[in-house]
Structures are given as structure tokens and as C-alpha cells.
């Protein structure tokens, strides 16, 4: 081709617009990408903790400049009457100084903040002798049309009375049964088939419940619509969306959906095998479904607009106790573990370490020369940014002081925000502000996980 012919071809291409983007003047102002949402969960039960885990409103405020939505948890439902109710009336409602009002009033100071009330969230737990034999009241409510309208009316009036901008429904559906590990079968590989087979039925009536949940969300949306109030739903950890969410139907009623895509492995559910608690991608053939990407893909395939999906990120880690049979490498999956890691020093909760509790265990100035139960853990990062980080300390000769913890840190949390950006999703939902380092104990920065997510969402 001579130069003239080349020029002619080029001009033809230009005219047809094929090369327009490439040969046109460089774009000085790239169009701003869509605004991604930062959804911050605030579990108010942290307000009544003792010690360093206690988070009061003054501690909450430094987070609010980063949050587009603050989701206040948690309200519940009253068994039999099916009314929506506060789970801690003294804390939430008490005249004048109740937290519901205190929190919704923060909007005066942070005018772009939207505050939603969340229902359920696995925090509406009945205790006492026969609690475990009681039927799931969330399913009972779905099955009862009168109950549903009772709930809709009472939840609407909570939202309206206390000035919330809307509702998040974190419905307590039955969870997937943890896959059982049978130890004593020799090598892990030999036991492999046993580990991941034997699916039990989660809910015999899931088809019915799915339809009823669609009706419930429709009725709530209809109640909220005249006031322009928001409605979101949270898919709680280990709830199988394909059993309970008619995605194409419910998505019309929802402003967004928060996928609590973590706790795939926990010491409570999996006391005999430790593994990554919240990987972004599948851990090879180990399990194709226990990861963020599989959940996001499920919603996208079912015609949920990407912009309505918020990826849930946990600001805590999951610790197991290692035994002297767990090996020296820490390489997951780790067998011969126990749900017996010591409770977190600040949160005093079993089986969960807040980020400041994890960072205190990682190598730092305070523990450089410590031994035994205070020796630093070995931190193992994932350069491929697919699975997350873990840290461990092998058990000593007497079988003590072994720990394995899968955790999210500011870097891995930012990787998830990067995943949200590259898949054009709506944003990130952080669980929970009270497990982030709200005191700045790790590096003097308050809310380092929240900041890292927010920064990556924007840049
Ligand atoms: C969820 O349910 C579907 C059937 O509707 C099943 O194929 C899938 O394996 C389940 N996922 C999990 C993680 O249990």
C-alpha cells in the first residue's frame, strides 16, 4: 500500500468512526466513573461492650465522612405477634437519648449520609433453654400473610418515627449446612470426597419462602415509596441466594443488595478444618462456590444490574487453634484444628478477632522479642490478590499456643474494592465499623480498613 492509499484508508476509517477514539485529540477530562457506594454497617451492640471494644458515638463520627450509607443494626421481630421491634429498647429508643435518634440526627452534620435501619442480621437470636428447638420466626412470618402485613406496618413506623432514610432487610434464612470433615481418614486428599459431599436439604419449603419473600419486599417497598425511603437487602453469610431470592423479581423493589460474602469458613461452622474465610476467587477445585466472585456472578447472571451490587467485606478475622498435628507450614486447608483459639482481648468474643486484635498478633514493635503465647504470628500474604491473607503460629512441643487466623487487612480489603471497580459493581459494604480499628491502635490511623476501601473505590 502506498502512502496515498494508506491515507485514504485512514480517512475512510475516520469518517466511519472506527478509529475516532484512537486518532482523535487526547481526552483531557476522562469522564468520571460512576460514583461507587461505601456502605458502613454499625452494630450498636458494640456501644454496650466493655473496654477497648466499646464504640460510642464520638468514636463513630470519624468514619462518617467516608460512608455514603450507615446501616444501623439491628432490629428484630417479635415471635407470634410478628411486629418489628428494637432488640435493645433502652439503648435504641429511650426518650431523648436513644441511639435511633442520635444516629439519624448525625445527618445534620453529615448531610450526604443516608441512615438505614437493618432488621435481622443474625443478631436477632433467642436465648434460653428451648431456644434452639423453636421454629425460625423469620420463616414463620413469611408463611403468614397477616404476619407479613403486621411486620410491614410496624417496621415502616420504626423508620418513620425515628427519621431513618430507609430499611435494610437482612432476613435470617436457614443457612447452608457446613460440610463435614471426617478426620482419621489418613491424608487430607483421601478424605477429600467426604469433606465436600453429602449436601443436606437446607429448607424443604424454600420455593414457597422465596415467593413469600418477594411479596414481603414488594409490600415493604410499597409502604416506603410514598416517602421516597430506601430499601436494600443483605444476603447473610452462608445463605444460598438461589434458594431464597427470586433475583429478577426482587431487584425491582431494591435500591441495592449487600452480599455478605464472607465467613465461608469459620471455626464455629468448620471446627476441624481451617481455610480462607473470604476469598475473592475459588480456591481451585476445593470449593467453587465459597467465594465473592461466585456470589456476584450469581446475581449478575440473574439480571441484577451490576450497579446495585455491594460486595460485603468483613473487618474481622477468624481464628482456629492449631494442634501439634496441624503441621508447621500453615498452608491452608489446615486440618487437626479446633474451635479453641483464645477470645479476642478487646471484643471478648469467641471465634472472631477484630482487625486491631489481629494486628496486635502480627509482627510489630511490641512483640518482636516475645515468646510462647505472646510470640508474633507469621504473616502470609497472597501476591496474586485472590484469596486474602492468613497468619499462624505453629503449636509448640506441648501442643500449646498454636493459632491460625484468616483475616482481612487494609490491603486485602482494598483488593476487594478493586474487584468492585473492575466489575463495575455498586460499591462495598463493610461489616462492621466496630471491628475496624476505630481507635487507631495499629498505626494511629482510625478506621484503616474503611479508609483503604474508600480510597481504592475512588482512585
Ligand atoms: C445453592 O443451591 C443450589 C440449588 O438451588 C445448589 O446447586 C448449590 O450447590 C447451593 N450452593 C451452596 C453453596 O450450598
Amino acid at each position: 500500500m502506498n502512502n496515498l492509499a494508506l491515507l485514504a484508508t485512514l480517512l475512510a476509517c475516520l469518517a466511519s468512526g472506527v478509529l475516532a477514539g484512537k486518532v482523535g485529540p487526547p481526552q483531557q477530562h476522562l469522564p468520571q466513573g460512576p460514583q461507587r457506594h461505601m456502605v458502613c454497617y454499625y452494630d450498636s451492640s458494640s456501644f454496650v461492650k466493655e473496654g477497648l471494644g466499646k464504640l460510642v458515638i464520638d468514636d463513630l463520627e470519624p468514619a462518617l465522612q467516608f460512608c455514603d450509607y450507615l446501616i444501623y443494626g439491628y432490629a428484630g421481630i417479635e415471635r407470634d405477634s410478628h411486629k418489628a421491634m428494637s432488640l435493645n429498647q433502652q439503648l435504641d429508643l429511650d426518650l431523648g437519648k436513644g441511639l435511633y435518634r442520635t444516629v439519624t440526627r448525625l445527618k445534620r452534620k453529615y448531610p450526604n449520609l443516608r441512615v438505614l435501619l437493618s432488621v435481622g442480621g443474625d443478631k436477632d437470636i433467642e436465648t434460653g433453654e428451648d431456644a434452639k428447638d423453636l421454629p425460625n420466626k423469620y420463616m414463620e412470618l413469611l408463611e403468614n400473610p397477616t404476619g407479613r402485613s403486621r411486620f410491614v406496618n410496624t417496621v415502616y413506623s420504626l423508620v418513620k418515627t425515628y427519621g431513618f432514610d430507609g430499611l435494610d432487610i437482612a432476613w435470617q434464612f436457614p443457612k447452608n449446612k457446613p460440610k463435614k470433615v471426617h478426620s482419621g481418614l489418613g491424608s487430607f486428599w483421601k478424605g477429600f470426597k467426604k469433606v465436600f459431599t453429602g449436601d443436606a436439604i437446607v429448607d424443604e419449603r424454600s420455593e414457597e419462602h422465596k415467593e413469600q419473600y418477594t411479596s414481603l419486599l414488594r409490600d415493604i417497598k410499597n409502604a416506603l415509596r410514598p416517602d421516597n425511603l430506601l430499601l436494600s437487602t443483605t444476603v447473610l453469610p452462608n445463605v444460598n441466594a438461589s434458594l431464597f431470592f427470586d433475583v429478577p423479581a426482587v431487584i425491582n423493589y431494591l435500591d441495592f443488595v449487600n452480599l455478605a460474602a464472607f465467613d465461608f469458613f469459620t471455626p464455629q461452622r468448620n471446627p476441624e478444618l481451617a481455610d480462607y474465610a473470604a476469598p475473592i476467587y475459588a480456591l481451585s477445585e476445593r470449593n467453587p462456590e465459597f467465594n465473592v466472585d461466585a456470589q456476584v456472578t450469581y446475581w449478575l447472571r440473574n439480571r441484577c444490574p451490576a450497579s446495585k451490587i455491594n460486595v460485603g467485606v468483613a473487618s474481622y478475622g477468624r481464628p482456629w487453634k492449631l494442634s501439634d498435628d496441624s503441621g508447621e507450614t500453615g498452608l491452608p486447608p489446615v486440618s487437626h484444628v479446633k474451635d479453641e483459639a483464645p477470645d479476642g482481648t478487646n471484643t471478648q468474643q469467641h471465634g472472631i478477632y477484630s482487625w486491631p486484635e489481629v494486628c496486635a498478633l502480627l509482627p510489630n514493635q511490641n512483640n518482636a522479642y516475645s515468646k510462647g503465647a505472646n510470640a508474633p504470628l507469621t504473616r502470609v500474604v497472597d501476591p496474586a490478590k485472590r484469596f486474602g491473607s492468613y497468619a499462624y503460629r505453629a503449636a509448640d512441643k506441648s501442643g500449646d499456643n498454636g493459632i491460625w487466623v484468616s483475616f482481612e487487612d487494609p490491603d486485602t480489603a482494598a483488593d476487594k474494592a478493586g474487584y468492585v471497580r473492575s466489575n463495575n459493581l455498586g460499591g462495598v459494604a463493610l461489616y462492621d465499623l466496630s471491628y475496624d480499628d476505630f481507635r487507631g491502635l495499629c498505626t494511629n490511623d482510625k478506621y484503616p480498613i474503611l479508609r483503604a476501601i474508600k480510597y481504592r473505590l475512588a482512585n
Side-chain angles (χ1 to χ4, degrees), residues 17-246:
V18 170
L19 287 178
K22 286 191 177 140
V23 297
Q27 281 176 301
Q28 294 299 319
H29 301 285
L30 286 169
Q32 279 279 298
Q35 169 76 39
R36 308 212 188 275
H37 299 140
M38 184 72 236
V39 179
C40 301
Y41 278 75
Y42 166 52
D43 181 351
S44 64
S45 67
S46 56
F47 194 97
V48 291
K49 282 184 183 147
E50 301 289 329
L52 291 174
K54 182 183 177 76
L55 185 158
V56 299
I57 297 298
D58 281 349
D59 302 316
L60 189 63
E61 286 210 35
L64 298 181
Q65 56 185 306
F66 304 113
C67 305
D68 301 301
Y69 300 91
L70 182 72
I71 301 201
Y72 184 101
Y74 286 89
I77 56 183
E78 192 174 69
R79 185 174 285 284
D80 303 326
S81 82
H82 307 295
K83 286 182 185 163
M85 61 167 192
S86 153
L87 292 175
N88 186 340
Q89 306 229 347
Q90 218 185 344
L91 180 72
D92 291 336
L93 310 182
D94 263 5
L95 274 181
K97 52 186 167 45
L99 273 193
Y100 277 6
R101 265 201 221 290
T102 309
V103 167
T104 57
R105 275 189 190 136
L106 288 169
K107 290 186 291 169
R108 296 180 188 165
K109 211 162 156 189
Y110 304 91
N112 296 321
L113 186 69
R114 297 282 167 271
V115 185
L116 277 62
L117 177 65
S118 187
V119 178
D122 289 336
K123 297 296 157 88
D124 184 5
I125 312 286
E126 288 158 304
T127 50
E129 292 256 298
D130 44 28
K132 69 173 184 352
D133 300 319
L134 292 172
N136 180 333
K137 63 184 173 184
Y138 283 73
M139 297 307 105
E140 286 192 325
L141 189 152
L142 289 182
E143 290 158 16
N144 180 333
T146 324
R148 289 206 303 263
S149 61
R150 254 286 181 62
F151 175 75
V152 173
N153 294 336
T154 48
V155 87
Y156 169 77
S157 89
L158 278 183
V159 167
K160 209 45 195 160
T161 308
Y162 294 96
F164 288 100
D165 297 299
L167 260 180
D168 174 61
I169 303 292
W171 208 250
Q172 294 179 184
F173 287 107
K175 292 186 181 283
N176 301 330
K177 304 274 187 291
K179 315 246 162 145
K180 265 266 176 245
V181 183
H182 302 281
S183 45
L185 290 169
S187 77
F188 170 75
W189 293 102
K190 230 167 112 196
F192 197 82
K193 275 211 181 71
K194 290 258 166 106
V195 176
F196 294 121
T197 53
D199 285 48
I201 292 172
V202 174
D203 177 9
E204 305 261 354
R205 300 172 73 179
S206 65
E207 277 305 310
E208 229 174 282
H209 291 148
K210 188 195 278 187
E211 266 177 44
Q212 291 155 346
Y213 190 60
T214 304
S215 308
L216 180 73
L217 291 180
R218 182 198 58 216
D219 295 348
I220 297 174
K221 186 64 194 177
N222 286 337
L224 297 179
R225 191 176 282 121
D227 299 292
N228 253 324
L229 296 167
L230 298 164
L231 179 61
S232 68
T233 193
T234 294
V235 185
L236 289 171
N238 298 302
V239 167
N240 187 338
S242 77
L243 298 180
F244 302 108
F245 293 77
D246 180 351

Side-chain angles (χ1 to χ4, degrees), residues 252-307:
N252 299 313
Y253 310 129
L254 298 171
D255 293 283
F256 49 83
V257 48
N258 307 305
L259 304 179
F262 45 81
D263 285 352
F264 296 110
F265 267 77
T266 71
Q268 201 184 17
R269 287 173 59 84
N270 315 92
E272 297 169 41
L273 192 75
D275 210 336
Y276 291 106
I280 301 180
Y281 295 104
L283 303 164
S284 67
E285 67 274 53
R286 257 187 262 160
N287 199 308
E289 291 183 277
F290 289 3
N291 61 81
V292 172
D293 188 56
Q295 295 210 344
V296 169
T297 303
Y298 175 79
W299 284 78
L300 290 175
R301 283 211 182 120
N302 286 278
R303 288 179 272 137
C304 175
S307 60

